[in-house]
Amino acid sequence: KNEVEQSPQNLTAQEGEFITINCSYSVGISALHWLQQHPGGGIVSLFMLSSGKKKHGRLIATINIQEKHSSLHITASHPRDSAVYICAVHGGSQGNLIFGKGTKLSVKP
Amino acid sequence: NAGVTQTPKFQVLKTGQSMTLQCAQDMNHEYMSWYRQDPGMGLRLIHYSVGAGITDQGEVPNGYNVSRSTTEDFPLRLLSAAPSQTSVYFCASSPDLLNTIYFGEGSWLTVV
């Protein structure tokens, strides 16, 4: 069983829709990262969470430590949001990031 | 501010050849790491470093060497390339894993 599970694996949405991507993990963590990987391959950090909620523009990330679950929300989705979204957890041991397999999002105009 | 610079971007190697993937950061970050990304799998940690002179193995270290002689540079060496090492490689840096992680643009490596 993977220690970090993301759902859904693939997601297609119409422009303007509200999107939710989920991440569940089975280990104790110090921090959780949400990353975005565009078709060209580059990876960009969106959020680092250790508790609660963070917001940046149309993106919102939440984490529930007790339930070992995090969500990434995109409001008013746009075709430029099309990318792979990756959840990664810092399990506490030095240098150890565990990655989910990613959620591929496609937003149609 | 260049961030994390990885070279080369594309490389084709023959089985048995050796090569070095270069990674440099100009943000004075202590933590640097190398990952490989394969289809259908998440990013996997190869090696990491928490400061100059300190390195450690990640999940998939076999066939790779690293060194960290300066804070800025963290090269990844393939000792004797194998087709199983065909992958996309990413270097990353951060002050520590409780802060934003910065990734290089990736290196596409094909071993034939």
Side-chain angles (χ1 to χ4, degrees), chain A residues 33 37 41 48 94-95 97 99, chain B residues 37 43 45 48 97-99:
Chain A
H33 297 261
Q37 185 172 27
M48 191 285 293
Q94 196 174 46
L97 269 183
F99 293 82
Chain B
Q37 186 176 42
L43 288 153
L45 180 66
Y48 68 97
L97 289 180
L98 299 181
N99 281 280

Side-chain angles (χ1 to χ4, degrees), chain A residues 89-103:
Chain A
V89 301
H90 177 31
S93 60
Q94 196 174 46
N96 187 15
L97 269 183
I98 307 168
F99 293 82
K101 293 183 179 181
T103 294

Side-chain angles (χ1 to χ4, degrees), chain B residues 43-65:
Chain B
L43 288 153
R44 291 182 293 168
L45 180 66
I46 304 171
H47 285 284
Y48 68 97
S49 168
V50 296
I54 306 168
T55 63
D56 207 347
Q57 296 181 350
E59 181 185 354
V60 288
N62 292 340
Y64 306 95
N65 264 356

Side-chain angles (χ1 to χ4, degrees), chain A residues 24-43:
Chain A
S24 296
Y25 51 91
S26 58
V27 296
I29 68 168
S30 304
L32 182 143
H33 297 261
W34 280 104
L35 311 170
Q36 180 190 56
Q37 185 172 27
H38 275 284
I43 300 173

Side-chain angles (χ1 to χ4, degrees), chain A residues 68-84:
Chain A
K68 295 187 175 179
H69 181 269
S70 176
S71 293
L72 177 68
H73 305 287
I74 304 175
T75 62
S77 59
H78 189 275
R80 65 175 175 266
D81 297 325
S82 297
V84 175

